[in-house]
Amino acid sequence: MADLNQPSEVVQYLIDRRKNPGGLKRGIPTRAAAARAKELAREAMSEPTWRRIESGERIPEDRELVLMAAAINDLAGEPLVTPDDLYERSRPMAAELFREWIRERTAADPALADIDPKLAPDSLQQILQKMLGEIRALRGVTAAEKAEMEKILLSNVESTLKAYGAQLRIFRRK
């Protein structure tokens, strides 16, 4: 039985990642994280709900954990929370929902149409999604320039993977 005076292990992990995103990055304010989760959900994931979950007053549903993790990742600009992190903290259904959500975001993005979301690691998909979002949010940049930036980003990723493949082929010959 969960102690309602303490957040669960998975919630404590999310709190730690939100408050301490690593490096010189500032912590993510609760208000900003809750607002981003609400945007992602397109429904009710309010700041009071977020705070009740973090305080241990409310046990989160799997869907809420996914929204919290996704919001933290989006605001941090990198995948601080992975589906495996949720799984390792005894929330396997939340982990699977998070994987599914990441795959759906990849599949829905025309720029990522060539990526098989079932084969590409979740973290790579999240990084690409975030970078494409940043490009698309640039102000003072034309649509054609943004399209070119997207093309260059994906071309560079592809080039890196091809170079790595070439290295593997060279080492296999030895």
Short mmCIF file of all heavy atoms in Angstrom, two decimals, residues 2 12-13 16 21-22 27 40 55 64 110 113 128 136 153 157 167-168 172:
data_model
loop_
_atom_site.label_atom_id
_atom_site.label_comp_id
_atom_site.label_asym_id
_atom_site.label_seq_id
_atom_site.Cartn_x
_atom_site.Cartn_y
_atom_site.Cartn_z
N ALA A 2 0.58 2.19 -0.84
CA ALA A 2 1.38 3.40 -0.97
C ALA A 2 1.18 4.32 0.24
O ALA A 2 0.07 4.46 0.74
CB ALA A 2 1.01 4.13 -2.25
N GLN A 12 9.18 10.25 -7.25
CA GLN A 12 10.38 10.88 -6.71
C GLN A 12 11.46 11.02 -7.78
O GLN A 12 12.15 12.03 -7.86
CB GLN A 12 10.92 10.10 -5.51
CG GLN A 12 12.06 10.81 -4.79
CD GLN A 12 11.65 12.18 -4.28
OE1 GLN A 12 10.69 12.32 -3.55
NE2 GLN A 12 12.38 13.21 -4.68
N TYR A 13 11.56 10.01 -8.63
CA TYR A 13 12.52 10.08 -9.74
C TYR A 13 12.16 11.23 -10.69
O TYR A 13 13.04 11.99 -11.10
CB TYR A 13 12.53 8.75 -10.51
CG TYR A 13 13.49 8.75 -11.66
CD1 TYR A 13 14.86 8.59 -11.44
CD2 TYR A 13 13.06 8.94 -12.97
CE1 TYR A 13 15.76 8.61 -12.49
CE2 TYR A 13 13.95 8.96 -14.02
CZ TYR A 13 15.30 8.79 -13.77
OH TYR A 13 16.19 8.82 -14.82
N ASP A 16 13.10 14.49 -9.09
CA ASP A 16 14.55 14.69 -9.16
C ASP A 16 14.99 15.14 -10.55
O ASP A 16 15.82 16.04 -10.69
CB ASP A 16 15.30 13.42 -8.77
CG ASP A 16 15.14 13.06 -7.31
OD1 ASP A 16 14.74 13.93 -6.50
OD2 ASP A 16 15.41 11.88 -6.95
N PRO A 21 17.99 18.78 -13.85
CA PRO A 21 18.11 18.20 -15.20
C PRO A 21 19.54 17.88 -15.62
O PRO A 21 19.76 17.29 -16.66
CB PRO A 21 17.49 19.27 -16.09
CG PRO A 21 17.51 20.52 -15.30
CD PRO A 21 17.51 20.14 -13.86
N GLY A 22 20.51 18.24 -14.81
CA GLY A 22 21.89 17.89 -15.12
C GLY A 22 22.68 19.04 -15.67
O GLY A 22 22.14 20.00 -16.21
N GLY A 27 16.67 23.96 -12.98
CA GLY A 27 15.53 23.08 -12.75
C GLY A 27 14.31 23.60 -13.49
O GLY A 27 14.21 24.78 -13.83
N LEU A 40 0.43 18.87 -24.02
CA LEU A 40 0.62 17.56 -24.63
C LEU A 40 -0.65 16.72 -24.56
O LEU A 40 -0.97 15.98 -25.49
CB LEU A 40 1.76 16.80 -23.95
CG LEU A 40 3.16 17.38 -24.18
CD1 LEU A 40 4.16 16.69 -23.25
CD2 LEU A 40 3.58 17.24 -25.62
N SER A 55 3.42 15.61 -4.25
CA SER A 55 3.38 15.62 -2.79
C SER A 55 3.10 14.24 -2.20
O SER A 55 3.28 14.03 -1.00
CB SER A 55 2.31 16.60 -2.29
OG SER A 55 1.01 16.07 -2.53
N GLU A 64 -0.77 9.71 -16.63
CA GLU A 64 -0.24 10.92 -16.02
C GLU A 64 1.29 10.86 -15.89
O GLU A 64 1.97 11.87 -16.10
CB GLU A 64 -0.89 11.15 -14.65
CG GLU A 64 -2.36 11.52 -14.77
CD GLU A 64 -3.09 11.50 -13.45
OE1 GLU A 64 -2.78 10.65 -12.59
OE2 GLU A 64 -4.00 12.34 -13.30
N PRO A 110 5.96 14.07 -40.57
CA PRO A 110 6.37 13.76 -41.94
C PRO A 110 7.89 13.76 -42.14
O PRO A 110 8.41 12.99 -42.95
CB PRO A 110 5.72 14.86 -42.79
CG PRO A 110 4.69 15.50 -41.92
CD PRO A 110 5.07 15.21 -40.50
N ALA A 113 9.33 10.32 -41.41
CA ALA A 113 8.61 9.22 -42.08
C ALA A 113 9.51 8.03 -42.41
O ALA A 113 9.04 6.89 -42.43
CB ALA A 113 7.94 9.73 -43.34
N LEU A 128 15.30 13.74 -31.85
CA LEU A 128 14.90 14.24 -33.17
C LEU A 128 13.60 15.03 -33.10
O LEU A 128 13.48 16.10 -33.73
CB LEU A 128 14.78 13.09 -34.17
CG LEU A 128 16.10 12.44 -34.59
CD1 LEU A 128 15.85 11.18 -35.40
CD2 LEU A 128 16.97 13.42 -35.37
N ARG A 136 11.12 24.30 -35.99
CA ARG A 136 9.79 24.79 -36.39
C ARG A 136 9.34 25.98 -35.58
O ARG A 136 8.50 26.76 -36.04
CB ARG A 136 8.78 23.64 -36.29
CG ARG A 136 9.08 22.56 -37.31
CD ARG A 136 8.31 21.31 -37.07
NE ARG A 136 8.69 20.30 -38.07
CZ ARG A 136 8.52 19.01 -37.91
NH1 ARG A 136 7.95 18.54 -36.81
NH2 ARG A 136 8.91 18.18 -38.86
N LEU A 153 19.53 18.57 -40.81
CA LEU A 153 19.58 17.80 -39.57
C LEU A 153 19.47 16.31 -39.85
O LEU A 153 20.31 15.52 -39.42
CB LEU A 153 18.44 18.23 -38.63
CG LEU A 153 18.20 17.32 -37.42
CD1 LEU A 153 19.38 17.35 -36.46
CD2 LEU A 153 16.92 17.72 -36.72
N VAL A 157 22.30 13.16 -39.51
CA VAL A 157 22.08 11.94 -38.73
C VAL A 157 22.32 10.72 -39.62
O VAL A 157 23.00 9.77 -39.23
CB VAL A 157 20.65 11.92 -38.13
CG1 VAL A 157 20.32 10.56 -37.53
CG2 VAL A 157 20.50 13.02 -37.10
N GLN A 167 32.55 1.91 -40.73
CA GLN A 167 33.56 1.50 -39.76
C GLN A 167 33.36 0.05 -39.35
O GLN A 167 34.32 -0.71 -39.24
CB GLN A 167 33.52 2.39 -38.53
CG GLN A 167 34.05 3.78 -38.75
CD GLN A 167 33.90 4.63 -37.50
OE1 GLN A 167 32.98 4.44 -36.71
NE2 GLN A 167 34.80 5.59 -37.34
N LEU A 168 32.12 -0.33 -39.11
CA LEU A 168 31.84 -1.72 -38.73
C LEU A 168 32.27 -2.68 -39.83
O LEU A 168 32.84 -3.74 -39.54
CB LEU A 168 30.35 -1.90 -38.43
CG LEU A 168 29.87 -1.29 -37.12
CD1 LEU A 168 28.35 -1.42 -37.02
CD2 LEU A 168 30.53 -1.95 -35.93
N ARG A 172 35.04 -5.67 -39.46
CA ARG A 172 34.62 -7.05 -39.67
C ARG A 172 35.60 -7.78 -40.60
O ARG A 172 35.77 -8.97 -40.52
CB ARG A 172 33.23 -7.10 -40.30
CG ARG A 172 32.14 -6.97 -39.28
CD ARG A 172 30.78 -7.30 -39.89
NE ARG A 172 29.82 -6.35 -39.36
CZ ARG A 172 28.98 -5.64 -40.05
NH1 ARG A 172 28.92 -5.75 -41.34
NH2 ARG A 172 28.18 -4.80 -39.48
#
